[in-house]
Amino acid sequence: MATVEWVCKRLGAPSDLSERMSELAERANGRVNPSWYEKYIRKLGYTRGFDTLLELEPIAETIRVFSPIFIPGILQIPEYQLALFDVAPGLTKSNADKQVALQAKRQNGIVDRGIRIVVVITEGALRLQVGGPEVHREQLSQLVALHTADLVEIRVWSSTAGAHPGGRGEIELLTFPKEEGEPPFAYSEGYQGAECTEESDAIADHEERWSIIRDKSVPINKFAPIKELAA
């Protein structure tokens, strides 16, 4: 604790950042209660860095997500989540229920704070029938309904748009209000892990890729096949 406080002082860190670093140091020493999400993610097989993402999402001003394979977690209905967990090797029903509870708290935390959300989903992810036709229709109907709500924009990368620059997994970009003093944050997920970064060069690369993805995608209510898929 003393070392952390000394380093923050020597570097001239703002008081809010110093307090956050001190809190993290206390948590590392087991002196404070764990965050709400820690009891859920322990032993549930989440990729490294996901806990950092959960910590930062509630204080974000804007959340931008590109999801090439599945509907992203912040938009999944419980039935869709359970269908994904059903095919996860070695995942018990108890752990699956905990993951659904975690996603519900995560979603509520974002919605309750009025955070701006922009999500781009590939056409392939929209067409994938996770949980069967009924769950599929319910999930798509939920997406269309959310797009009409304030602060939520859902877009589609059509298969006719060709290859995308989004990599092989979900990408999430966070930006924060000035008063939070947080730099932009990027989370990119792959099969065996995730990368988290605040480095300016990496953020610039993510921003460039995001600009291409967003510009070549269309709003979900203007994506012609959606009416057929959600019917």
Side-chain angles (χ1 to χ4, degrees), residues 115-117 145-153:
I115 298 168
R116 172 69 174 159
I117 301 171
L146 285 171
H147 179 73
T148 63
D150 292 340
L151 298 176
V152 180
E153 180 182 0

Side-chain angles (χ1 to χ4, degrees), residues 3-210:
T3 302
V4 170
E5 291 172 358
W6 181 85
V7 170
C8 288
K9 183 177 181 180
R10 291 281 298 192
L11 294 177
S15 59
D16 56 343
L17 177 58
S18 298
E19 289 174 4
R20 182 180 173 214
M21 296 302 295
S22 296
E23 180 184 338
L24 290 173
E26 284 184 329
R27 187 179 303 163
N29 288 330
R31 297 179 187 172
V32 297
N33 294 327
S35 299
W36 68 265
Y37 51 80
E38 290 181 319
K39 64 181 179 180
Y40 290 102
I41 64 176
R42 288 171 180 166
K43 300 180 181 180
L44 293 185
Y46 276 107
T47 54
R48 292 181 61 186
F50 188 66
D51 54 343
T52 304
L53 181 68
L54 292 180
E55 181 181 353
L56 292 175
E57 279 181 338
I59 63 171
E61 183 174 57
T62 303
I63 296 176
R64 293 169 292 169
V65 181
F66 174 61
S67 191
I69 302 174
F70 301 112
I71 306 302
I74 60 173
L75 299 179
Q76 292 172 3
I77 61 174
E79 294 81 5
Y80 187 99
Q81 295 166 23
L82 285 172
L84 287 177
F85 299 146
D86 280 345
V87 298
L91 188 65
T92 65
K93 183 181 183 304
S94 175
N95 281 351
D97 289 341
K98 289 179 181 178
Q99 295 204 40
V100 170
L102 180 146
Q103 291 288 13
K105 288 183 71 68
R106 179 191 182 196
Q107 292 169 357
N108 291 337
I110 293 172
V111 172
D112 291 346
R113 288 170 173 81
I115 298 168
R116 172 69 174 159
I117 301 171
V118 184
V119 176
V120 180
I121 308 169
T122 63
E123 180 177 347
L126 286 181
R127 290 185 176 274
L128 190 66
Q129 288 197 5
V130 174
E134 186 174 344
V135 171
H136 184 236
R137 285 193 297 269
E138 185 177 350
Q139 176 68 79
L140 294 186
S141 296
Q142 171 81 337
L143 295 179
V144 174
L146 285 171
H147 179 73
T148 63
D150 292 340
L151 298 176
V152 180
E153 180 182 0
I154 301 174
R155 304 176 67 87
V156 180
W157 179 280
S158 171
S159 59
T160 59
H164 59 73
R168 299 179 181 178
E170 187 172 307
I171 296 173
E172 185 164 334
L173 300 174
L174 307 181
T175 54
F176 305 91
K178 289 182 179 180
E179 59 268 23
E180 291 294 343
E182 287 283 352
F185 175 86
Y187 172 89
S188 53
E189 193 166 286
Y191 179 69
Q192 291 185 324
E195 294 183 359
C196 300
T197 184
E198 295 176 338
E199 295 182 4
S200 57
D201 288 346
I203 294 295
D205 178 70
H206 279 83
E207 289 284 359
E208 184 176 5
R209 293 172 185 270
W210 170 261

